[in-house]
Amino acid sequence: MAAPLSLLQLSNGDKAFGGQKLFDDAILSVNEGEHIGVIGPNGAGKTTLFKILIGEQELDRGDIIRSQSLNLGYLSQHDTWAEGETGNTFLERTAKLPLWQVKSMGRHLQVTEEIFEKPISSLSGGYRMRIKLMGLLGQDPNLMLLDEPTNYLDLETTLLLERFLQNYDGAFLLISHDREFLRRTTDHTVEIESGEITKYNGNIDDYFEQKELLRTQLAARAQGQAEKRKTVMDFVNRFGAKATKAKQAQSKLKNLEKMEKIEFRAIPVKAVIQIPKPPHVGRSVLRLEQTAFGYGDRKIIQNVTLDIQRGDHVAVVGLNGAGKSTLLKGLAGTLAPTTGKRELGYQVSIAIFNQHVVEVLDPVHSVYESLEDGASVGVTPQEIRNMAGSLLFSTDQITKKVKVLSGGEKSRVALGRILLKKVPCLLLDEPTNHLDFQTVEALTQALKRFEGTLVVVSHDRGFIQRVATKILEVSSGQVLFYPGSYDEYVWSLQKSLASEGEQSAGVGKEKKTSSDSGATAPAGQLKKEKDKKLRGLDRKISACETAIAQLDQSVKEANEKIVAGDASPELIQRISDDSIKLSELEDEWVKLA
């Protein structure tokens, strides 16, 4: 099999901003067809890398080598359409390919002709993203750069985008902090951290596994060297002054100097967010009775009757534009009901996190001053410093002014202010946007432990799955508790989208088949054909199961060797390759079964 063609290479790249070195002799290679997740802490240089690759910024030193066949496409976070432009006119203006071909390529995104004819500015964020992606496809790229494409998307669009990327033949680099999305769409992972760019085989789960294995191996080698150094130095200290041993001691010292120095970066601080314990309140925290919310004459949701109780952790789900943020504003009291009533429980107070609280941070405050200003009376300076540390602000960084912080850092400050308010009820609208993996994980664990009441809107499936105990669905102006779990809700939505996709793709085929055949096949003939297909499927399933068993045994044996001390790079690579093949076979088995 021929080696995959390299589309793009970064060689010996250096890049610095204001004294901070983002890239230090960095290297990266992107090959045809690779689906690459790009991860790293906030401020590590992920978006800067994209801007360098598209030519918006330049390296301080190093080279970008582009294949002659490279056609690069960039999915910007900013709107690129004119005022009043429809989906059709936008695609006609921006696409190199014929309009019918672009729509055919994006059919899995389920944009109807009615949607294409509407002004893009009138569409929900989910449909805007779909049309923007189709505009990118119209450029016919073989390498796409996607910067946080799932931010602010509803679950339906996220699932459609996920399925589209799984089936995409070209290559892409995808920046995302959504672990579930990365797990399902990528086959390689690029880590940007401490000036280095490192590429790993496998998706995000494989990355974490390989990272830990390599770290364990490196730590063992470092310990072995430390012990060897100690032995040599003990010998030198004991015999170095003796004439008969001096030559031998000097020889050992020289060997010690030649010894490979093993240096590895410290593990990033594993933050633990401690949310101050909320005050005790009664059983009923927040009630809505026959309530409607809207803006002027426009009703968004109506006839809502809810009783949210002490300790409930509620996820609000639904399509973009359905009214999730409107409901949160209504629950918070920042949007008055047009009809019905809203009642808070005894001594209940509420804090809400949304994009607005990020935008109103005082730019001249330091990180510490901003957290202190938002904290409840009685919160100690040590608790404020602890919160800053858990949100990855070091002792030096808490004196930085808000005006010089990145978007992700500002989100962390605004989130810390909310968590320090010591309220019994938290309302959080997309709290994980712009946060890196470590902060999302720390926030997830903290909110899971939170003893108060929580109502949250988020597109991050892993976050919701672990935090929420109840699901509140907003749909067609109605708000109702979903009877199942969040996993069941996601599964039902996936099933519905798959069914809609099959129906839209199968209409033409069905008509053509009936007109071509001219008659219906006899029942006996249909049964024979069906039985034949089933036998073929059975054979494929059996072959799949045999291959899965063999690979499973291979991975098990390799893991046993690592435990026994054989942690060679070749063995780690074998485990990674076998794990990827095993995952693919398991997916194939599910499809066949």
Side-chain angles (χ1 to χ4, degrees), residues 4-5 7 30-37 69-73 105 133 136-137 140-146 162-174 185-188:
L5 176 68
L7 293 174
V30 180
N31 299 324
E32 276 187 330
E34 289 182 336
H35 293 179
I36 303 172
S69 65
L70 177 67
N71 187 13
L72 195 63
M105 291 167 68
L133 182 60
L136 176 61
L137 292 174
D140 197 22
N142 56 4
L143 174 58
M144 297 192 299
L145 306 184
L146 311 173
E162 178 182 285
R163 191 167 65 184
F164 170 80
L165 292 177
Q166 287 170 342
N167 296 311
Y168 181 62
D169 289 332
F172 62 75
L173 289 167
L174 165 67
T185 57
T186 62
D187 50 35
H188 289 74

Side-chain angles (χ1 to χ4, degrees), residues 231-242 245 249:
T231 301
V232 171
M233 292 309 299
D234 286 347
F235 180 88
V236 170
N237 292 334
R238 185 176 179 186
F239 298 112
K242 293 184 179 181
K245 295 287 186 179

Side-chain angles (χ1 to χ4, degrees), residues 522-589:
Q525 182 183 336
L526 288 175
K527 186 178 185 306
K528 286 180 181 178
E529 289 176 0
K530 183 178 178 181
D531 289 343
K532 184 178 179 181
K533 287 180 180 178
L534 285 173
R535 285 194 297 273
L537 281 172
D538 283 338
R539 284 193 295 271
K540 288 180 180 179
I541 288 172
S542 296
C544 218
E545 288 172 344
T546 301
I548 286 172
Q550 290 172 346
L551 272 175
D552 196 38
Q553 182 62 28
S554 175
V555 170
K556 184 179 177 182
E557 289 172 357
N559 278 319
E560 287 173 354
K561 288 182 180 179
I562 286 180
V563 172
D566 177 15
S568 65
E570 293 79 12
L571 190 61
I572 292 171
Q573 184 64 50
R574 180 181 135 197
I575 291 175
S576 174
D577 293 344
D578 284 353
S579 296
I580 292 168
K581 292 175 186 174
L582 188 59
S583 177
E584 290 172 350
L585 279 170
E586 287 170 347
D587 288 344
E588 181 65 20
W589 185 92

Side-chain angles (χ1 to χ4, degrees), residues 86-247:
T86 66
N88 279 326
T89 54
F90 169 72
L91 293 178
E92 287 170 353
R93 177 174 62 84
T94 59
K96 296 177 182 177
L97 299 174
L99 191 59
W100 67 266
Q101 191 174 351
V102 177
K103 290 183 178 180
S104 175
M105 291 167 68
R107 66 186 181 278
H108 295 303
L109 296 174
Q110 297 183 10
V111 184
T112 64
E113 195 56 42
E114 181 185 1
I115 295 294
F116 281 121
E117 292 170 357
K118 289 183 177 181
I120 301 176
S121 58
S122 70
L123 302 176
S124 70
Y127 278 110
R128 291 184 189 187
M129 174 57 75
R130 298 183 207 188
I131 289 176
K132 190 186 293 186
L133 182 60
M134 292 177 74
L136 176 61
L137 292 174
Q139 301 293 319
D140 197 22
N142 56 4
L143 174 58
M144 297 192 299
L145 306 184
L146 311 173
D147 191 351
E148 293 283 9
T150 62
N151 270 2
Y152 304 108
L153 291 188
D154 54 52
L155 180 59
E156 179 184 272
T157 306
T158 299
L159 292 173
L160 287 172
L161 179 59
E162 178 182 285
R163 191 167 65 184
F164 170 80
L165 292 177
Q166 287 170 342
N167 296 311
Y168 181 62
D169 289 332
F172 62 75
L173 289 167
L174 165 67
I175 297 174
S176 179
H177 295 133
D178 186 334
R179 182 165 175 173
E180 183 69 10
F181 189 72
L182 286 170
R183 187 177 75 81
R184 291 174 175 269
T185 57
T186 62
D187 50 35
H188 289 74
T189 301
V190 162
E191 176 195 55
I192 301 178
E193 186 181 28
S194 303
E196 295 184 5
I197 299 177
T198 309
K199 186 177 178 183
Y200 294 83
N201 286 330
N203 65 17
I204 189 69
D205 290 343
D206 300 312
Y207 156 79
F208 281 117
E209 186 175 348
Q210 290 177 62
K211 184 95 170 173
E212 185 59 31
L213 282 170
L214 290 169
R215 180 157 200 70
T216 301
Q217 180 187 12
L218 207 55
R221 287 172 58 199
Q223 184 179 352
Q225 285 196 0
E227 291 171 356
K228 188 173 181 180
R229 285 176 188 275
K230 184 178 183 302
T231 301
V232 171
M233 292 309 299
D234 286 347
F235 180 88
V236 170
N237 292 334
R238 185 176 179 186
F239 298 112
K242 293 184 179 181
T244 56
K245 295 287 186 179
K247 189 174 181 180

Side-chain angles (χ1 to χ4, degrees), residues 256-545:
L256 191 64
E257 290 169 3
K258 294 177 183 177
M259 189 185 297
E260 175 196 3
K261 291 182 180 178
I262 297 175
E263 298 177 0
F264 54 96
R265 291 167 298 198
I267 297 175
V269 178
K270 292 186 177 179
V272 177
I273 296 176
Q274 299 292 347
I275 304 176
K277 188 173 181 178
H280 185 76
V281 294
R283 181 177 179 184
S284 181
V285 170
L286 181 55
R287 293 184 73 250
L288 298 179
E289 189 174 331
Q290 293 296 307
T291 310
F293 295 105
Y295 305 92
D297 295 333
R298 185 182 170 214
K299 288 185 177 180
I300 305 297
I301 50 181
Q302 51 194 332
N303 299 326
V304 182
T305 297
L306 291 175
D307 186 5
I308 297 174
Q309 299 182 354
R310 181 182 66 241
D312 280 352
H313 285 189
V314 181
V316 181
V317 301
L319 304 182
N320 276 359
K324 300 189 298 293
S325 294
T326 298
L327 176 62
L328 248 63
K329 291 175 185 175
L331 292 172
T334 56
L335 180 65
T338 54
T339 61
K341 62 181 181 179
R342 166 186 175 271
E343 291 181 347
L344 287 179
Y346 179 65
Q347 292 189 327
V348 170
S349 55
I350 287 176
I352 183 170
F353 172 89
N354 54 27
Q355 191 58 38
H356 175 68
V357 298
V358 177
E359 294 166 354
V360 298
L361 293 175
D362 191 328
V364 301
H365 274 175
S366 68
V367 170
Y368 180 88
E369 289 168 338
S370 189
L371 291 172
E372 182 182 42
D373 182 58
S376 169
V377 175
V379 172
T380 67
Q382 188 58 52
E383 285 179 308
I384 295 171
R385 284 192 288 271
N386 289 346
M387 180 61 72
S390 67
L391 292 169
L392 307 184
F393 291 107
S394 66
T395 304
D396 294 335
Q397 290 175 323
I398 63 174
T399 60
K400 288 173 68 174
K401 299 295 183 185
V402 168
K403 62 184 176 184
V404 301
L405 300 179
S406 69
E409 288 170 329
K410 287 178 182 176
S411 288
R412 282 187 264 153
V413 172
L415 185 61
R417 285 165 57 94
I418 298 300
L419 299 180
L420 287 170
K421 287 190 179 297
K422 253 183 181 174
V423 296
C425 182
L426 294 173
L427 308 181
L428 307 178
D429 193 353
E430 297 288 3
T432 64
N433 275 0
H434 309 299
L435 300 183
D436 54 36
F437 281 121
Q438 188 173 330
T439 312
V440 170
E441 180 62 27
L443 179 62
T444 302
Q445 294 179 12
L447 291 176
K448 189 174 180 180
R449 295 190 305 265
F450 181 56
E451 296 176 12
T453 301
L454 173 68
V455 182
V456 60
V457 173
S458 176
H459 71 278
D460 189 324
R461 280 166 289 172
F463 173 73
I464 289 295
Q465 193 269 342
R466 290 192 287 164
V467 166
T469 56
K470 293 185 178 180
I471 307 300
L472 194 59
E473 184 177 17
V474 183
S475 177
S476 303
Q478 303 297 307
V479 180
L480 296 169
F481 277 106
Y482 184 78
S485 67
Y486 182 68
D487 286 342
E488 289 169 330
Y489 172 76
V490 173
W491 178 82
S492 67
L493 187 54
Q494 286 175 322
K495 187 178 177 183
S496 173
L497 291 172
S499 176
E500 289 173 16
E502 287 169 5
Q503 288 174 11
S504 62
V507 169
K509 291 180 182 178
E510 208 170 284
K511 288 181 178 177
K512 183 178 179 182
T513 301
S514 95
S515 62
D516 286 350
S517 63
T520 304
Q525 182 183 336
L526 288 175
K527 186 178 185 306
K528 286 180 181 178
E529 289 176 0
K530 183 178 178 181
D531 289 343
K532 184 178 179 181
K533 287 180 180 178
L534 285 173
R535 285 194 297 273
L537 281 172
D538 283 338
R539 284 193 295 271
K540 288 180 180 179
I541 288 172
S542 296
C544 218
E545 288 172 344

